[in-house]
Amino acid sequence: MTQFGGGTGWNIEQMANFVPVAEFFAAVYLVDLSPSLCNIARNRFNRLGWKNVHVVCEDARSFRLSYEKASAELITFSYALSMIPNYYPVIDSMTTLLKPEGLIGVCDFYVQSEVDYRSRNYGGGAFNRHCTWLSRIFWRTWFEIDRVNLDPARRDYLEYRFGTVLSINARNHILGVRIPYYLWVGCSKDAVPSQKMRALNAAATQNLNHDLEQPLDLTLQSKAYECAFVNLSSRLPLPASWYQNRSWRIYYNEQLQKHTRFNNEYIYAFTWEDSRFDSRLLKIQPNDVVLAITSAGDNILSLALDRPKCIHAVDLK
């Protein structure tokens, strides 16, 4: 693991609340440019007796691991990326520093307008991302006093160079004010093999017996699959769903007959009272495919008793 801008090492110490740092990691590297903060970090880890944690006082742009440990499985930035003036080479260096299956975690302040990101399909995390013009001006001016730059280009470049696994926008409520910040987890944007893309496409088109060794049937492709080829041809990351290992996250395609079979004429509300009403109305047959809200799962199990071909249980909570 490598943490850039680790400062006094407090964050790494807090990780012990979740994993045994001394045993869980083969090596942890804290990289910071401040000698005084690095000295505090060294004293902290000496007190804790963590021999596998190494403090490196070095510019993040030039940091490299030794040849024996040439890549990291986890790279983190905790409110540090916004404090690095020349951030491009730091983000670029992570493409070689990170293992192919590794993850990057970033938590930082930000301000951004929806004009910057609304035309993208690869960033994810659009919900609650927009900041009003007053918020953008105020917080950028406020943080620049301490040489913290909330320029949205930092986050934009991060999302361009890597695939987005998770992106969350939130507000930190302190003394009645709402400071915008984000949590981002990413991976190599080349982390999705062609075999996985074809498997997900087969699931999306319900061609579950799709032979992944045979040429693709170009007459029936999911929108997610088509979108993936557009992004790859433009050297852009894939949409976030491709990196999340969740094959059930597929695009709705109104051009497929299976998505338009009710012709906007069939609406049925799920009931909790008695699933026998569902069965009586739906008259599920062995070749039927059911799309239903999962909820607590009771009605899904009842639907399974009718033995349909497939049940897609979907829920947000």
Side-chain angles (χ1 to χ4, degrees):
M1 170 190 167
T2 300
Q3 183 174 75
F4 287 106
T8 65
W10 185 86
N11 284 335
I12 295 178
E13 181 179 2
Q14 296 307 305
M15 290 173 60
N17 295 323
F18 304 93
V19 295
V21 176
E23 295 82 23
F24 188 82
F25 295 101
V28 177
Y29 293 89
L30 183 156
V31 182
D32 202 285
L33 193 58
S34 170
S36 60
L37 296 181
C38 287
N39 287 333
I40 296 174
R42 291 189 184 98
N43 293 332
R44 181 189 301 274
F45 300 131
N46 288 334
R47 170 176 56 82
L48 294 170
W50 292 351
K51 304 299 183 182
N52 62 326
V53 181
H54 311 280
V55 179
V56 182
C57 189
E58 187 177 340
D59 192 326
R61 294 174 298 179
S62 58
F63 173 76
R64 299 292 185 274
L65 291 174
S66 62
Y67 181 78
E68 292 79 9
K69 301 181 180 65
S71 55
E73 293 174 312
L74 176 63
I75 301 174
T76 64
F77 291 80
S78 180
Y79 297 98
L81 189 60
S82 58
M83 301 181 70
I84 300 176
N86 193 2
Y87 57 90
Y88 287 108
V90 177
I91 296 176
D92 288 340
S93 69
M94 292 192 297
T95 59
T96 55
L97 183 61
L98 186 70
K99 283 189 175 182
E101 70 278 10
L103 292 174
I104 304 171
V106 180
C107 179
D108 215 332
F109 299 113
Y110 85 101
V111 290
Q112 195 162 28
S113 168
E114 62 180 352
V115 175
D116 298 332
Y117 61 82
R118 65 184 177 186
S119 61
R120 303 176 197 157
N121 65 2
Y122 58 85
F127 178 74
N128 206 30
R129 184 164 176 170
H130 174 74
C131 301
T132 65
W133 68 269
L134 183 60
S135 175
R136 296 196 300 271
I137 294 175
F138 176 79
W139 289 120
R140 286 194 65 170
T141 304
W142 177 272
F143 277 97
E144 283 173 359
I145 297 175
D146 290 328
R147 297 185 179 183
V148 177
N149 197 318
L150 304 193
D151 185 350
R154 282 170 165 74
R155 186 177 180 183
D156 291 343
Y157 192 59
L158 193 66
E159 292 176 338
Y160 165 71
R161 290 306 306 263
F162 298 93
T164 296
V165 177
L166 177 70
S167 183
I168 299 175
N169 311 287
R171 302 294 186 268
N172 188 355
H173 298 266
I174 298 179
L175 301 177
V177 298
R178 302 174 70 246
I179 307 175
Y181 71 97
Y182 70 93
L183 303 172
W184 181 84
V185 177
C187 63
S188 169
K189 66 180 179 181
D190 301 322
V192 181
S194 59
Q195 199 79 342
K196 179 181 177 182
M197 289 177 60
R198 301 176 89 177
L200 289 178
N201 182 60
T205 56
Q206 291 192 351
N207 186 9
L208 301 182
N209 296 320
H210 188 70
D211 187 351
L212 301 180
E213 301 300 328
Q214 297 299 321
L216 291 173
D217 179 9
L218 299 180
T219 61
L220 183 61
Q221 303 298 336
S222 68
K223 282 191 173 182
Y225 195 75
E226 295 172 356
C227 178
F229 271 109
V230 171
N231 284 30
L232 290 175
S233 64
S234 303
R235 298 184 179 181
L236 295 173
L238 300 175
S241 59
W242 288 103
Y243 301 103
Q244 294 172 343
N245 294 321
R246 299 171 181 175
S247 59
W248 42 263
R249 289 201 59 174
I250 59 177
Y251 284 174
Y252 171 79
N253 190 343
E254 72 280 358
Q255 297 179 354
L256 297 180
Q257 184 179 0
K258 65 188 178 71
H259 287 168
T260 58
R261 64 184 64 177
F262 299 122
N263 298 319
N264 297 322
E265 296 176 357
Y266 183 86
I267 299 177
Y268 178 65
F270 234 58
T271 65
W272 275 86
E273 288 76 12
D274 194 335
S275 59
R276 289 177 295 182
F277 289 109
D278 301 337
S279 179
R280 188 182 307 166
L281 175 65
L282 294 173
K283 296 182 176 63
I284 295 175
Q285 302 299 315
N287 290 326
D288 287 341
V289 176
V290 179
L291 173 65
I293 298 174
T294 310
S295 194
D298 304 65
N299 287 354
I300 299 299
L301 293 174
S302 297
L303 288 170
L305 293 176
D306 291 329
R307 299 184 179 278
K309 177 181 178 181
C310 179
I311 299 177
H312 296 287
V314 183
D315 209 308
L316 183 62
K317 186 173 181 180

